[in-house]
Amino acid sequence: GVKIPLAMDKTPLRVRTDTRPGSQDLLMIRLYNEDGSYRSIQLKFTNRMTYLIGTCTYFIPFPVAPALQPQNDQWVFTRTPQGVQYECNGVQVLDFTLSSKVCTSHAAYHWEVTWNKKVVAVSFDVSYDDASDF
């Protein structure tokens, strides 16, 4: 996908989706560093929605299911000093703190290197992303 400039430490990423839980659709966003490396954040619209934090977790069910609308859900992804926060339709559904205790995926050995860099651009992976309007 096309890289969209975004200083995510200052400006949250806003995304609209038009899919339903159980559809198996995927939202896949790449977060780029200044050096061109990236990590992804993903949502999978399974019956019990799940999320993935690149170089940290595998797919994990949300602690509380996002309250989705019939269409045009508004998501806000915020990069915090400690991790990431997700909102769906104005309600916070995830406040994730990155740490060695929770970053247990196969690529987690380098989560600190990846996540301690500032996000300068984002893109939607159109090869996999079928949930967003990009």
Side-chain angles (χ1 to χ4, degrees), residues 36-57:
S37 63
Y38 68 88
R39 65 280 204 194
S40 67
I41 54 175
Q42 300 177 40
L43 302 180
K44 191 180 285 186
F45 290 80
T46 51
N47 287 332
R48 183 167 180 208
M49 282 191 63
T50 59
Y51 65 92
L52 176 143
I53 310 239
T55 68
C56 179
T57 71

Side-chain angles (χ1 to χ4, degrees), residues 49-111:
M49 282 191 63
T50 59
Y51 65 92
L52 176 143
I53 310 239
T55 68
C56 179
T57 71
Y58 295 107
F59 280 100
I60 301 171
F62 278 93
V64 177
L68 301 180
Q69 305 298 319
Q71 58 183 328
N72 294 328
D73 292 299
Q74 303 294 320
W75 292 87
V76 178
F77 301 96
T78 304
R79 178 70 172 101
T80 67
Q82 300 80 24
V84 291
Q85 293 176 339
Y86 297 178
E87 286 182 18
C88 179
N89 299 320
V91 177
Q92 185 172 300
V93 294
L94 184 67
D95 186 0
F96 190 89
T97 300
L98 294 152
S99 73
S100 296
K101 186 174 183 177
V102 296
C103 291
T104 58
S105 75
H106 66 283
Y109 63 90
H110 68 282
W111 74 266

